[in-house]
Amino acid sequence: MSRNVLERTAMILRRLRAVFAFAIIWAIAWAPVGLGLGLRHILINPRGIGSTVQFLSLFIVIGAVVGGICGTAFPISLLVLGRGKPFTQLAALPVALVAGSIGFLLGAKGDPGYAAAILFGALAAASAYGSLRIARPSAAHAAIRARATSYEA
């Protein structure tokens, strides 16, 4: 195998690993949102304790699955919208809008009142925006990196 093929394969595997990591992180972060939706529903329509536990666990899974799907869509939208640009040059708003629209569509599919759709859309947009802001180095971090490279030279 040539070196270029190995480098491309390694890059594809790194990107797949990043997509998987985002999906897992967002699924874990969104599970409490599902719990909150389930608790809201139980407060409106009380149930017996046995069905309440099953109901809440179902909503936790729903929140985690929607978070995992949005967490998968986020890095894919970064790859498509970013076209190889570094994080510092990416506009956060288009990426947040893509993630928010995917979250809205997933929420609208299961909720005729659109409460979950609005919540999932807003949470997806906020998660995407926050993920981009966390990934971007701060001005202080850039200054430290610049000083470190100037000492090396």
Side-chain angles (χ1 to χ4, degrees), residues 26 74 77 92 95-100 122-133:
W26 282 33
F74 171 68
S77 66
V95 175
L97 288 176
V98 168
L123 187 59
S127 298
Y129 186 80
S131 294
L132 271 179
R133 297 300 296 169

Side-chain angles (χ1 to χ4, degrees), residues 12-28:
I12 290 170
L13 290 175
R14 260 185 278 135
R15 288 181 177 173
L16 285 174
R17 187 175 59 222
V19 168
F20 183 71
F22 270 106
I24 295 295
I25 291 169
W26 282 33
I28 292 169

Side-chain angles (χ1 to χ4, degrees), residues 32-130:
V33 173
L35 175 65
L37 284 173
L39 286 173
R40 176 186 162 267
H41 191 70
I42 287 174
L43 290 175
I44 294 171
N45 303 322
R47 301 170 179 263
I49 191 71
S51 63
T52 299
V53 172
Q54 288 178 328
F55 193 73
L56 286 178
S57 62
L58 175 68
F59 267 85
I60 291 170
V61 169
I62 288 171
V65 167
V66 171
I69 292 171
C70 289
T72 301
F74 171 68
I76 291 172
S77 66
L78 282 181
L79 290 172
V80 172
L81 294 174
R83 296 184 194 99
K85 294 179 188 174
F87 278 136
T88 55
Q89 295 178 357
L90 282 177
L93 187 59
V95 175
L97 288 176
V98 168
S101 62
I102 290 170
F104 181 84
L105 292 173
L106 288 171
K109 182 167 177 53
D111 184 18
Y114 294 109
I118 292 169
L119 177 68
F120 286 159
L123 187 59
S127 298
Y129 186 80

